[in-house]
Amino acid sequence: MPKRQYPIARVKVQAPGRLYQTKYEGFAQNDLLADLWRQNRLRCSAVDFGQLGIPPPGGAGLRVPSAMLLDRAGLNCVLCRPFLDTSQSIGLGHFTAYGGAWTQLPNHGLQGEMQLFQYTGRANEITGVISNFTLPTNPIFALSLYRAGPPPDFDWNLCSPSTEIHFGIGESDEWVLALPYGAPMYLMRRVGGEWWKAPESERSVHVPSLEGYASGQRLILWIAILRGKLVVSTDGFASDVWVYESPEGPITARAGKVSLWHNAGQWLFSFFPFTMTTAILDGPPLETGYQTQASSGEVFTHYRYLAARDDRGRELSTVNVVDNTANRADLSPTQRAWQAAIMPYVWQQGNVGVDPDTGEPVGFRTCVSPQL
């Protein structure tokens, strides 16, 4: 008998031409997807920026994997790779402003980026914006923030200077990521009108200081709800990743608007939705030690995933894993293989406002991904 292995696929077979008379378990392999990814034993479909409608950061035709592994702080999930969607200029037409005077600055920073500048804010005065669009359940989005130091007349006895990012805004449930000056960021939740500070996970990892930025510098925060945890990163979920877990159970952000508030004078921000494409993963050959491809036995594949769902729990997009041995030309008669397709969901809204510079109506589009 061949040595028993534990990959992602479990196959039940019987000899060619034989009726099922005795139980034959064949081989089995448990979930080792993260290990296979780290060992470079998976084949992942590639995508170029042209397919996504995004100007490439390098030369034309630059291709990158369509999926990514996020294996920080116990997340251990593979999802469709999120790309900042700079093809959409998310400007003042997408928001309702409160306090201060605002202007939009197109084509600053990243290609196609729209920066929103609040230029009359004073110390201890709250200024902010609320989106006219809504984000999907358990969204993924990014924000670029420019924050200067508080002005000399800031009254530190009255309040602490800070910036707040609100999302999942609904009737009684809302999350807030607070970025105070001179202190670590933290998470708050409002349920039934009451605010409470979420305890920080002991497994949270380092994120650079948020106590203001040097002249000309900014911080891009990537924010997502993955595996029931709030995940924040400053580098596209590559290494600087910060995770919050709730002791009450998985974190869920309802579909709702997003808003930003600031009380330390002038400030500048950009909002980025995401674009994704279906990711196809091909597993390595699984050796069985017998001519399994000639078997008429039934094939089973077992896998664990989290679908992208709406507030009612309805499935919006999913992961599909199949035995694709018949479609692989690189397998011997004694090998089998599996293929996984992770399909993103496109969240799209029509007229959400009017661009103040052009008078044209503007829409909104972003993506969320199931997790394998």
Side-chain angles (χ1 to χ4, degrees), residues 96 114 116 131 136 152 165 168 213 222 238 244 263 274 281 292 304-305 307 314 334 340 342 347 361:
T96 298
M114 179 74 78
L116 305 183
S131 68
I165 302 166
Y213 316 128
W222 296 49
Y244 262 136
N263 70 338
F274 282 94
L281 299 174
T292 175
R304 182 187 63 175
Y305 77 101
R314 296 175 298 191
T334 62
I342 310 174
W347 175 273

Side-chain angles (χ1 to χ4, degrees), residues 208-288:
S209 170
L210 298 171
E211 190 180 353
Y213 316 128
S215 176
Q217 292 184 339
R218 66 172 173 176
L219 181 73
I220 297 182
L221 289 177
W222 296 49
I223 302 169
I225 306 291
L226 299 171
R227 291 280 194 244
K229 305 171 185 178
L230 174 70
V231 185
V232 181
S233 174
T234 58
D235 61 359
F237 306 119
S239 59
D240 281 327
V241 182
W242 179 80
V243 178
Y244 262 136
E245 297 180 76
S246 171
E248 297 181 350
I251 292 176
T252 298
R254 298 176 61 86
K257 297 184 177 183
V258 60
S259 65
L260 291 88
W261 305 93
H262 186 75
N263 70 338
Q266 300 179 12
W267 59 301
L268 183 71
F269 82 91
S270 303
F271 184 93
F272 296 102
F274 282 94
T275 184
M276 304 172 182
T277 187
T278 297
I280 305 296
L281 299 174
D282 284 293
L286 304 176
E287 181 59 55
T288 66

Side-chain angles (χ1 to χ4, degrees), residues 33-35 37-38 67-71 76-79 237:
L33 190 61
D35 291 337
W37 185 285
R38 285 190 293 265
M68 71 174 298
L69 167 67
L70 215 171
D71 194 27
N76 189 24
C77 65
V78 174
L79 66 157
F237 306 119

Side-chain angles (χ1 to χ4, degrees), residues 94-142:
H94 293 82
F95 296 91
T96 298
Y98 292 87
W102 292 82
T103 187
Q104 60 183 30
L105 307 173
N107 298 315
H108 280 61
L110 300 175
Q111 292 174 322
E113 179 181 351
M114 179 74 78
Q115 296 181 349
L116 305 183
F117 179 36
Q118 194 292 112
Y119 56 89
T120 63
R122 296 173 296 178
N124 307 110
E125 176 184 71
I126 295 177
T127 58
V129 296
I130 299 178
S131 68
N132 300 327
F133 57 85
T134 60
L135 296 176
T137 305
N138 292 335
I140 174 172
F141 61 98

